[in-house]
């Protein structure tokens, strides 16, 4: 099917919504020009994650024939419309399983209900209002757990005793909104007695989702605009507004991204050290296999393909290990976190390391907490 064929059904509703001009307002070649423009937008969408018909995000449930209610709001356009109440149902909840193979498309955002959406409630229970168009983005990019869930799961348990009641809590994926909100939304596990960075605010021209990301391609719109302020760098990852040596390696020549990945590598090592020395069951992380943390049966420091199976998921959780692993995953699941809220991520990583360091030998003397 050609892009023109794909977009033809959308032209009348987009005109009705005022998103494109009417023939009376345009030149005689209006329809062709707008078909070309819409074709370009559709192609951007098809090339982006939201329009990827082959992605597991939209095909994982094909074997079941429907996307379940708990997942449908973000993994099926009909489910998102159900969540909005755009299908005539009550808003704020998904009332029925949704269709498979239905990625997030035009109707997800270009409906009256989506335009009216202005408030989002996060897993921590915190609600943000006055969000405008960001509300549709934040509905799905908020994660499914918060640090509060970790605190509840571990409450009253001895920090270093394995509990059969504990299992890994996965914050989920694409959690940019939770990261931007920092301590205000409590996406990460925040250790008692520590202070954490709140909502990250940027310059007025780069302070909303679509200020920085094209809504159809999801790509960053204008990196040159970033470089006009952050002079002397050639890549977004080279930017740093905080100049501490957070990973303690003596090198602050790179960007804040390098500091985050440096501390995260240290946390990975600390998690494995703790599991081996304190629990006695080696652990490893497999970034592309659910539920991500597995028993490292041969204790070789990596999760081999035959180990990355659900029956071999790590099951010897202590509260201390769960808190650190949750924060490790939270940082992993926002690849753009170095832009969205680097201070918050560094604080989560640093405090997870420091907590593990109370019971295993870690050399953190050169690490600085932002």
């Amino acid at each position: 099917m050609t892009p023109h064929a794909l977009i033809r059904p959308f032209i009348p509703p987009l005109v009705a919504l005022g998103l494109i001009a009417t023939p009376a307002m345009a030149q005689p070649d209006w329809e062709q020009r707008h078909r070309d423009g819409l074709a370009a937008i559709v192609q951007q969408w098809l090339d982006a994650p939201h329009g990827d018909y082959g992605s597991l995000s939209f095909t994982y449930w094909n074997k079941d024939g429907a996307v379940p209610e708990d997942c449908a709001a973000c993994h099926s356009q009909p489910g998102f419309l159900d969540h909005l109440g755009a299908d005539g149902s009550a808003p704020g909840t998904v009332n029925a399983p949704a269709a498979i193979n239905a990625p997030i498309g035009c109707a997800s955002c270009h409906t009256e209900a989506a335009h009216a959406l202005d408030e989002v409630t996060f897993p921590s229970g915190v609600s943000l209002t006055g969000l405008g168009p960001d509300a549709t983005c934040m509905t799905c990019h908020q994660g499914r757990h918060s640090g509060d869930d970790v605190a509840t799961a571990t409450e009253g348990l001895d920090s270093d005793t394995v509990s059969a009641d504990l299992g890994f809590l996965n914050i989920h994926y694409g959690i940019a909104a939770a990261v931007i909100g920092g301590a205000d939304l409590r996406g990460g596990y925040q250790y008692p007695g520590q202070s954490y960075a709140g909502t990250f605010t940027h310059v007025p021209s780069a302070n909303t989702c679509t200020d920085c990301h094209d809504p159809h391609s999801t790509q960053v719109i204008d990196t040159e605009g970033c470089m006009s302020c952050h002079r002397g760098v050639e890549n977004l990852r080279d930017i740093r507004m905080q100049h501490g040596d957070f990973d303690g390696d003596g090198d602050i020549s790179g960007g804040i991204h390098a500091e985050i990945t440096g501390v995260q590598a240290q946390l990975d090592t600390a998690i494995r050290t703790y599991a081996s020395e304190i629990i006695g069951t080696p652990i490893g992380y497999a970034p592309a296999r659910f539920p991500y943390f597995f028993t490292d049966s041969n204790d070789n420091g990596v999760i081999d393909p035959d180990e990355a199976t659900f029956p071999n998921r790590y099951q010897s959780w202590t509260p201390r290990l769960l808190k650190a692993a949750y924060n490790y995953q939270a940082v992993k699941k926002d690849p753009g976190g170095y832009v969205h809220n680097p201070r918050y991520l560094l604080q989560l990583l640093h405090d997870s390391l420091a907590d593990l360091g109370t019971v295993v030998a870690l050399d953190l003397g050169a690490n600085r907490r932002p």
Side-chain angles (χ1 to χ4, degrees):
M1 184 178 292
T2 67
H4 283 177
L6 282 169
I7 64 173
R8 193 170 294 117
F10 295 107
I11 291 177
L14 290 173
V15 170
L17 289 167
L19 298 173
I20 60 176
T22 63
M25 298 162 55
Q27 299 299 318
D29 62 343
W30 166 85
E31 185 172 341
Q32 186 59 50
R33 288 190 295 109
H34 280 284
R35 280 183 176 179
D36 291 343
L38 285 171
I41 289 174
V42 169
Q43 191 59 56
Q44 286 182 318
W45 169 73
L46 287 170
D47 292 338
H50 290 163
D52 185 354
Y53 281 88
S55 169
L56 278 176
S57 298
F58 308 114
T59 62
Y60 178 80
W61 301 272
N62 284 8
K63 61 185 182 302
D64 304 319
V67 184
E69 292 91 333
D70 286 348
C71 307
C74 299
H75 293 279
S76 171
Q77 177 165 279
F80 190 73
L81 296 176
D82 187 341
H83 173 78
L84 292 174
D87 61 352
S89 64
T93 186
V94 177
N95 298 281
I100 57 175
N101 297 319
I104 301 302
C106 303
S108 300
C109 301
H110 297 300
T111 62
E112 184 177 348
H115 291 172
L117 187 67
D118 199 48
E119 179 177 356
V120 174
T121 300
F122 286 75
S124 61
V126 175
S127 293
L128 297 183
T129 59
L131 295 175
D134 279 0
T136 53
C137 306
M138 290 185 175
T139 295
C140 291
H141 292 284
Q142 58 171 279
R144 296 195 62 181
H145 282 293
S146 74
D148 295 10
D149 295 321
V150 178
T152 299
T154 58
E155 185 177 8
L157 299 177
D158 179 77
S159 294
D160 300 305
T161 299
V162 173
S163 172
D165 294 329
L166 293 179
F168 179 61
L169 294 176
N170 180 34
I171 193 170
H172 214 55
Y173 319 106
I175 59 166
V179 171
I180 290 171
D184 298 325
L185 298 178
R186 304 191 299 277
Y189 175 76
Q190 299 172 186
Y191 288 84
Q194 295 285 10
S195 61
Y196 292 87
T199 301
F200 183 79
T201 55
H202 217 120
V203 295
S205 61
N207 212 28
T208 70
C209 302
T210 54
D211 282 342
C212 297
H213 294 273
D214 182 277
H216 302 111
S217 72
T218 72
Q219 296 298 309
V220 176
I221 296 170
D222 180 21
T223 57
E224 291 185 6
C226 304
M227 305 311 176
S228 67
C229 290
H230 299 284
R231 296 182 180 276
V233 300
E234 297 180 358
N235 188 293
L236 290 179
R237 290 186 172 185
D238 296 330
I239 294 172
R240 74 153 67 207
M241 296 298 290
Q242 302 170 68
H243 301 285
D245 185 9
F246 304 113
D247 61 4
D249 66 353
D251 182 7
I252 60 171
S253 62
I256 202 67
H257 178 269
E259 297 291 334
I260 292 172
T261 55
V263 183
Q264 188 158 44
Q266 293 173 336
L267 181 56
D268 175 70
T269 300
I271 285 172
R272 288 187 286 109
T273 300
Y274 175 89
S276 294
E277 294 184 1
I278 303 301
I279 299 174
T281 304
I283 193 173
Y285 181 79
R289 296 297 298 269
F290 180 85
Y292 308 104
F293 288 96
F294 299 89
T295 300
D296 185 8
S297 305
N298 57 13
D299 200 12
N300 67 347
V302 297
I303 295 301
D304 300 312
D306 63 322
E307 294 175 319
T309 63
F310 189 78
N312 191 50
R313 67 194 183 281
Y314 199 78
Q315 299 183 69
S316 299
W317 293 101
T318 69
R320 195 184 308 275
L321 181 61
L322 179 59
K323 293 168 185 177
Y326 177 86
N327 279 346
Y328 182 88
Q329 177 78 336
V331 177
K332 277 284 190 183
K333 292 307 172 184
D334 184 16
Y338 68 100
V339 173
H340 296 143
N341 203 336
R343 176 181 287 269
Y344 184 63
L345 296 190
L346 283 166
Q347 290 169 341
L348 295 177
L349 293 172
H350 181 96
D351 293 348
S352 299
L353 267 174
D355 189 50
L356 292 175
T358 62
V359 290
V360 297
L362 302 175
D363 182 9
L364 304 176
N367 289 48
R368 288 184 56 187
R369 187 182 193 273

